[in-house]
Amino acid sequence: RHIETCVGEEVRRARLALGSAFARYEQMTMLYEELLRAGRTDFPDGVRRYLRVSRPEREVVALSYQATFEDKEYHDVCQLARLQNLAGMVHPLAFGSLIYLTYGHFDSAHCFFDGAVHAYKIAIPVVDQKVPCPFYDRLPAVEGISTLHYGDPKQGRLKQTYKGLLLWAKENHIALADCSEEEWLVSPLITSNKKLWVIRVTVPFAQ
């Protein structure tokens, strides 16, 4: 009887591991396809592309913190280390997946960043919430305008990508919210080479 119980438990764990592996494979395949499309379509002629996008809600593990948009104190580095530890205890969707959310750092209507301390959230998508963890969260579905940022986001580089997006939306009479989602397609969790980092910036439509 004990042997049957042990075997049953091992089979259950194997099924969970297989399900997670398939989900991660699907995620990495999608990521690879997105990067190929990005290489073909995102400003190869020097013109940045701005796209209307729609994404479903997602289950994540997430941490909240406060920082300026530039985050010169590197609060994000500390939070990323904590999040990596959490990811090791749950079922992350794919290796290297990373999402930042910003709240109130900029005024979309005036394309202005106030430089003050506002809320951030850093998250990693998960396959499920079967493993107990107090930091599970659910990111709402998002519809908005998106563009890609390549390379190091610091020293004002990512801010310039944002300003380009906000100005484009204003010129095209598109009202956007004062929050954003930064999905790292190639993140520090994958490579420490900052030149290879790719961030998909999405600013939702105003409600």
Side-chain angles (χ1 to χ4, degrees):
R1 185 75 176 184
H2 175 68
I3 293 176
E4 290 179 357
T5 301
C6 291
V7 170
E9 181 64 20
E10 288 300 319
V11 170
R12 186 187 70 82
R13 290 176 180 173
R15 285 175 176 168
L16 285 174
L18 184 61
S20 298
F22 274 123
R24 290 171 187 168
Y25 172 77
E26 182 181 26
Q27 178 73 5
M28 293 307 292
T29 300
M30 293 172 59
L31 170 57
Y32 178 70
E33 291 175 350
E34 287 182 8
L35 290 175
L36 285 178
R37 284 198 297 270
R40 290 195 299 266
T41 63
D42 200 73
F43 59 98
D45 52 1
V47 179
R48 185 178 291 276
R49 305 290 188 256
Y50 301 103
L51 305 174
R52 293 174 178 263
V53 296
S54 176
R55 280 190 288 282
E57 64 179 16
R58 284 161 290 177
E59 293 183 346
V60 299
V61 286
L63 297 171
S64 298
Y65 64 101
Q66 299 279 324
T68 63
F69 184 81
E70 293 287 355
D71 191 12
K72 294 180 179 179
E73 293 78 19
Y74 290 90
H75 295 292
D76 59 332
V77 174
C78 176
Q79 299 302 324
L80 180 56
R82 290 183 59 204
L83 193 63
Q84 281 183 279
N85 289 332
L86 286 175
M89 297 185 289
V90 297
H91 297 147
L93 185 59
F95 174 74
S97 296
L98 184 63
I99 299 171
Y100 283 83
L101 298 106
T102 77
Y103 304 93
H105 289 265
F106 54 85
D107 180 334
S108 289
H110 300 92
C111 308
F112 173 74
F113 287 76
D114 66 6
V117 173
H118 294 285
Y120 263 105
K121 185 178 288 185
I122 182 173
I124 290 179
V126 295
V127 176
D128 54 51
Q129 297 186 7
K130 294 180 180 178
V131 178
C133 178
F135 296 99
Y136 285 126
D137 200 351
R138 187 182 298 272
L139 303 186
V142 60
E143 294 186 0
I145 301 299
S146 178
T147 192
L148 294 178
H149 173 89
Y150 294 95
D152 189 354
K154 298 294 186 179
Q155 298 181 342
R157 296 184 182 92
L158 183 58
K159 183 184 287 187
Q160 290 305 312
T161 297
Y162 268 87
K163 286 184 176 180
L165 187 156
L166 298 177
L167 284 169
W168 180 89
K170 185 175 182 178
E171 291 169 356
N172 287 273
H173 310 290
I174 299 172
L176 298 178
D178 297 337
C179 59
S180 68
E181 175 184 293
E182 300 169 7
E183 182 179 9
W184 288 67
L185 303 180
V186 179
S187 76
L189 300 179
I190 296 176
T191 176
S192 60
N193 187 340
K194 297 179 181 181
K195 294 181 180 179
L196 300 179
W197 292 350
V198 183
I199 307 170
R200 179 166 54 193
V201 176
T202 301
V203 180
F205 295 125
Q207 297 297 316

